[in-house]
């Protein structure tokens, strides 16, 4: 046990150093914690619960070593508290560690950590997903190794002391984590996971077969039988481990005899379509595509260019090349977008930038990735000068790959446009809800203002008239002269009351606007404006009531704002014009002005709501000491 713990701790320490070198300090701390607790458990077995808690915390923190959510932090904290309590109890009482509960706790911690890894893997970015896949592959191999050890111990009694071997098998886990951080091996994460599952399954199959053999004997093997069975099990497991690598070597050797190496172009085409159907992240999809292109069609290199509107950028290349860009004019975009595939001569005319640094005699192909003639990208594959030229089958495969890439790029653009539209709709919905609330609030406030004006103004005039009429009735017979004076006052009071009602009605909806239109209504505002005031209204016809009302009240609001804030020396100019499609108005003053974002208050919100309700727009332009201009535009369409 001591030796096994020391080996595991040493491997974790190496992993912590390697991960720290790779620029992952949080993951390095988690690895170092396991190394320390595992070493302590080898010296003092009572510290084993702490090691289990450290393993669990590291598993929950993958792929970065950070416990990013409160459920993970809570589980890790609970495990740490339980481990400390367990260890403290053992040390305080001097009780020996019971391996049964410890193994159960370790299995539970493994299940929780692996479950967390499985949940995060599909949502993680490409680089982080590779780490999780490597860890999952290592966990599969570790579980298979432990299962084989347990089966051998149960069937053949080998190894005699099982727990140290099971513990030693855990070195595969830190090894997998380290491989996920190395640039050379990190890209093999998906393949490693698949092969780990295959090897583990075959190993379990071998163990099951030998289990059937033991059951058939109806007794445990003894003497020479045991030695032969152990040797055969070891040989079978060795064949399982070497089967896949040896098969790939033999297949590669056979293909080299036929002049083919690695994956065929048809297989690359099929695999790309399969990866598209699995919704692989697009950056990972392009990287895998370029690697496949280099392995099948372009040994000297492959690259993908992506862009829109004639501006293309080198997005992925193998071997890696510095970023570059190509700019195409409209004619070049049209020609390139309609071309199926091009060689060196064609590229020299339309895409000369792609030939920079490429040997003149070396074969090269470019396949535009387009959708409905719209150029979205380029696939470029290169071969060495001594390499074979491209065949018609190679061109066909490259054209089909470019077609699929064009479709994927088009779908990605549609998805981006859809997301932008949804975001715009969300913002418009929020603005609409806020506008409705403001309209309801303003309507309530207007009704309260009308009620107040009626109560405090017109109603008081009517009460006064009623009192004076009653008084006139009492004194008309006794003092006709005084009654005549009182009736004269009543005549003046009636005129004042009528003026009060007229002013009140004018605030609700001016009669001049209804009867004579915007020109007369805006000119009538002159008597209520304290500043010099000019009106220029040139409209070919009358417009719907809601449009004229919106323009009138917006202009009136802007005029009142100018009267309050422009200063005593300012002047106001109102212009209202229209063409066949749009009615435009502006209210300008040459007063004090205000800095952008500091003077737009409740009045501007009201104007925006009024115009927005009929599809119009409001614009406010102002600078300090340069005056203010409030402009509005309302779509009106053709005259009926």
């Amino acid at each position: 046990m001591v030796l096994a713990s020391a080996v595991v701790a040493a491997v974790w320490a190496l992993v912590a150093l390697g991960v720290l070198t790779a620029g992952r300090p949080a993951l390095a701390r988690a690895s170092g914690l396991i190394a320390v607790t595992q070493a302590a458990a080898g010296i003092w077995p009572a510290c084993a619960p702490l090691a289990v808690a450290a393993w669990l915390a590291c598993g929950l923190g993958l792929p970065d070593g950070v416990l990013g959510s409160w459920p993970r932090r809570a589980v890790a904290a609970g495990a740490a508290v339980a481990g400390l309590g367990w260890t403290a109890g053992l040390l305080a009482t001097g009780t020996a560690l019971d391996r049964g509960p410890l193994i159960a706790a370790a299995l539970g911690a493994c299940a929780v950590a692996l479950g967390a890894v499985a949940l995060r893997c599909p949502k993680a970015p490409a680089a982080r997903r590779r780490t999780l896949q490597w860890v999952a592959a290592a966990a599969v191999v570790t579980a298979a190794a432990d299962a084989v050890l347990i089966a051998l111990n149960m069937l053949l009694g080998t190894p005699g002391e099982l727990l140290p071997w099971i513990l030693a098998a855990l070195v595969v886990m830190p090894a997998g984590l380290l491989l996920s951080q190395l640039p050379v091996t990190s890209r093999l994460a998906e393949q490693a996971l698949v092969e780990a599952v295959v090897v583990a399954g075959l190993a379990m199959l071998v163990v099951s077969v030998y289990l059937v053999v033991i059951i058939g004997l109806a007794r445990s093997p003894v003497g020479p039988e045991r030695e032969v069975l152990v040797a055969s099990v070891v040989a079978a497991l060795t064949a399982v481990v070497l089967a896949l690598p040896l098969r790939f070597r033999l297949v590669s050797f056979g293909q080299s005899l036929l002049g083919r190496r690695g994956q065929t172009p048809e297989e690359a085409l099929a695999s790309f379509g399969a990866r598209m159907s699995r919704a692989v992240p697009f950056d990972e999809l392009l990287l895998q595509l370029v690697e496949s292109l280099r392995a099948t069609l372009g040994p000297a290199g492959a690259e993908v260019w992506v862009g829109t509107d004639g501006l293309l950028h080198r997005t992925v290349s193998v071997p890696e090349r510095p970023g570059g860009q190509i700019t195409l004019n409209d004619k070049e975009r049209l020609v390139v977008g309609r071309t199926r595939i091009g060689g060196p001569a064609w590229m020299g005319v339309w895409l000369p930038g792609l030939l920079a640094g490429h040997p003149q005699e070396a074969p090269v192909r470019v396949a535009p990735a387009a959708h409905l003639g719209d150029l979205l990208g380029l696939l470029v594959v290169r071969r060495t000068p001594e390499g074979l030229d491209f065949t018609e089958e190679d061109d066909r495969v490259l054209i089909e790959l470019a077609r699929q890439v064009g479709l994927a790029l088009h779908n990605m653009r549609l998805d981006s446009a859809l997301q932008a539209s949804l975001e715009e709709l969300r913002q418009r919905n929020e603005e609409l809800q806020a506008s409705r609330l403001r309209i309801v609030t303003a309507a309530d406030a207007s009704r309260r203002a009308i009620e107040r004006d009626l109560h405090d103004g017109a109603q008081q005039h009517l009460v006064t008239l009623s009192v004076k009429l009653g008084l006139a009735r009492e004194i008309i017979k006794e003092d006709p002269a005084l009654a005549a004076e009182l009736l004269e006052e009543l005549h003046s009071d009636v005129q004042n009351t009528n003026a009060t009602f007229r002013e009140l009605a004018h605030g609700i909806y001016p009669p001049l606007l209804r009867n004579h239109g915007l020109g007369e209504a805006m000119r009538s505002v002159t008597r209520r404006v304290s500043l010099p005031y000019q009106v220029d209204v040139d409209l070919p016809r009358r417009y719907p009531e809601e449009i004229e009302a919106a323009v009138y009240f917006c202009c009136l609001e802007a005029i009142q704002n100018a009267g309050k804030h422009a200063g005593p020396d300012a002047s106001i100019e109102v212009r209202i014009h229209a063409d066949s499609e749009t009615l435009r108005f502006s209210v300008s003053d040459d007063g004090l002005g205000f800095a952008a974002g500091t003077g737009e208050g409740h009045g501007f919100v009201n104007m925006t709501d009024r115009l927005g309700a009929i599809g119009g727009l409001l614009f406010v332009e102002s600078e300090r000491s340069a005056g203010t201009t409030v402009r509005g535009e309302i779509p009106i369409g053709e005259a009926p």
Side-chain angles (χ1 to χ4, degrees):
M1 282 292 292
V2 175
L3 179 60
S5 294
V7 171
V8 174
V11 174
W12 271 111
L14 291 175
V15 170
L17 181 60
V19 171
L20 184 62
T21 305
R24 307 285 287 279
L27 193 56
R29 286 193 295 270
S31 303
L33 178 63
I34 295 180
V36 171
T37 55
Q38 194 65 54
I43 300 173
W44 302 288
C47 295
L50 288 178
V52 173
W55 280 79
L56 176 59
C58 182
L60 293 174
L62 290 172
D64 299 310
V66 178
L67 299 171
S69 61
W70 69 264
R72 285 191 277 168
R73 289 193 290 268
V75 172
V81 171
L84 284 172
W86 194 348
T87 298
L90 294 175
L91 293 176
T93 60
T95 306
L97 178 65
D98 189 351
R99 293 183 178 180
L102 178 64
I103 293 174
L107 291 175
C110 289
V112 172
L114 291 176
V117 168
L119 288 175
R120 289 195 298 276
C121 189
K123 304 176 183 178
R128 300 295 186 260
R129 188 168 59 253
R130 294 191 191 110
T131 299
L132 296 174
Q133 288 172 340
W134 264 111
V135 171
V140 170
V141 172
T142 302
D146 289 341
V148 170
L149 289 171
I150 294 171
L152 289 175
N153 180 266
M154 294 173 61
L155 297 175
L156 306 174
T158 300
E161 184 65 26
L162 185 60
L163 194 56
W165 287 91
I166 291 178
L167 182 60
L170 292 176
V171 297
V172 179
M173 296 292 293
L177 184 59
L178 183 59
L179 289 173
S180 70
Q181 306 303 311
L182 300 177
V184 178
T185 55
S186 64
R187 294 180 178 178
L188 304 176
E190 186 174 333
Q191 181 180 352
L193 179 56
V194 172
E195 294 187 5
V197 172
V198 173
V199 170
L202 292 176
M204 297 305 299
L205 177 62
V206 169
V207 172
S208 301
V209 169
Y210 280 96
L211 178 61
V212 173
V213 172
I214 297 298
I215 294 174
L217 291 174
R219 60 182 175 81
S220 298
V222 295
E225 293 177 343
R226 182 173 178 275
E227 296 174 0
V228 171
L229 199 57
V230 169
S232 63
V233 170
V234 172
L237 292 175
T238 303
V240 165
V241 173
L242 297 179
L244 287 176
L246 184 59
R247 178 186 179 278
F248 291 144
R249 292 287 183 181
L250 292 175
V251 169
S252 178
F253 177 71
Q255 290 177 342
S256 67
L257 295 178
L258 298 174
R260 293 167 49 190
R261 293 187 177 274
Q263 188 183 35
T264 66
E266 292 79 5
E267 291 171 342
L269 180 59
S271 63
F272 180 76
R275 287 192 292 268
M276 282 185 61
S277 64
R278 292 202 302 266
V280 177
F282 195 70
D283 56 346
E284 181 73 14
L285 186 67
L286 290 182
L287 177 60
Q288 294 176 3
L289 171 63
V290 171
E291 291 174 344
S292 298
L293 286 175
R294 189 191 184 193
T296 57
L297 293 173
E303 54 196 55
V304 174
W305 296 69
V306 175
T308 56
D309 299 328
L311 182 60
L312 303 175
H313 298 271
R314 182 187 287 115
T315 304
V316 186
S317 60
V318 177
E320 187 172 351
R321 303 181 64 184
Q325 72 176 33
I326 298 174
T327 303
L328 305 177
N329 58 36
D330 292 340
K331 181 180 179 181
E332 291 170 339
R333 285 174 55 195
L334 182 63
V335 172
V336 174
R338 293 182 176 180
T339 301
R340 299 183 66 197
I341 196 162
W346 181 88
M347 294 168 64
V349 176
W350 298 106
L351 295 170
L354 294 180
L355 295 176
H358 185 75
Q360 185 175 1
E361 64 279 9
V364 60
R365 285 289 187 274
V366 57
H371 184 77
L372 299 178
D374 185 14
L375 181 65
L376 303 175
L378 300 171
L379 270 62
V380 184
V381 291
R382 308 175 190 273
R383 291 182 177 176
T384 58
E386 62 275 8
L388 299 175
D389 201 359
F390 289 91
T391 65
E392 291 184 2
E393 182 63 18
D394 293 338
D395 290 346
R396 183 192 67 80
V397 172
L398 192 57
I399 291 171
E400 182 60 24
L401 280 171
R403 186 191 66 80
Q404 295 189 18
V405 171
L407 179 60
L409 290 170
H410 176 69
N411 290 339
M412 187 175 67
R413 288 177 60 184
L414 290 179
D415 182 67
S416 300
L418 177 61
Q419 294 298 327
S421 299
L422 290 175
E423 179 63 21
E424 182 179 358
L425 286 175
R426 185 189 63 80
Q427 294 178 357
R428 286 184 178 273
N429 184 54
E430 292 178 354
E431 293 173 359
L432 179 60
Q433 290 179 348
S435 176
R436 286 177 173 175
L437 179 61
R438 291 193 297 268
I439 289 173
V440 171
T441 304
D444 292 340
S446 298
R447 283 192 290 270
R448 287 193 296 270
I450 292 172
E451 179 186 7
R452 183 179 62 252
D453 292 340
L454 287 173
H455 180 273
D456 297 341
Q459 184 176 342
Q460 298 303 317
H461 284 288
L462 294 175
V463 170
T464 302
L465 287 174
S466 176
V467 172
K468 287 185 176 181
L469 283 172
L471 182 61
R473 184 182 60 186
E474 295 293 333
I475 66 174
I476 192 169
K477 296 180 180 179
E478 299 178 0
D479 192 348
L482 182 59
E485 293 179 5
L486 189 58
L487 289 174
E488 186 65 27
E489 290 182 11
L490 283 172
H491 179 267
S492 177
D493 290 344
V494 168
Q495 290 180 331
N496 291 335
T497 303
N498 186 41
T500 300
F501 275 108
R502 185 180 295 110
E503 287 294 326
L504 183 59
H506 192 280
I508 298 173
Y509 194 93
L512 278 175
L513 178 61
R514 179 185 298 108
N515 298 329
H516 301 285
L518 279 167
E520 292 298 326
M522 294 309 306
R523 293 184 184 94
S524 71
V525 177
T526 304
R527 64 176 182 271
R528 290 185 286 166
V529 180
S530 59
L531 301 176
Y533 176 75
Q534 294 182 0
V535 178
D536 178 12
V537 178
D538 184 11
L539 299 175
R541 59 186 174 91
R542 294 293 301 271
Y543 296 96
E545 183 177 296
E546 62 272 13
I547 292 180
E548 291 188 343
V551 173
Y552 174 82
F553 285 109
C554 285
C555 290
L556 188 62
E557 184 85 40
I559 292 168
Q560 291 172 348
N561 287 342
K564 294 178 183 177
H565 307 295
D569 300 326
S571 60
I572 302 173
E573 181 181 8
V574 178
R575 291 174 53 85
I576 305 176
H577 295 261
D579 54 28
S580 61
E581 297 181 353
T582 307
L583 189 152
R584 297 178 176 87
F585 69 87
S586 66
V587 178
S588 305
D589 68 70
D590 54 1
L592 300 177
F594 56 85
T598 61
E600 300 184 15
H602 185 68
F604 293 110
V605 174
N606 288 340
M607 287 187 276
T608 301
D609 289 344
R610 278 188 181 275
L611 295 180
I614 56 175
L617 297 174
L618 184 77
F619 307 92
V620 180
E621 302 169 359
S622 183
E623 294 183 9
R624 290 194 180 278
S625 303
T628 301
T629 299
V630 178
R631 296 187 297 107
E633 296 181 357
I634 302 173
I636 54 178
E638 296 291 341

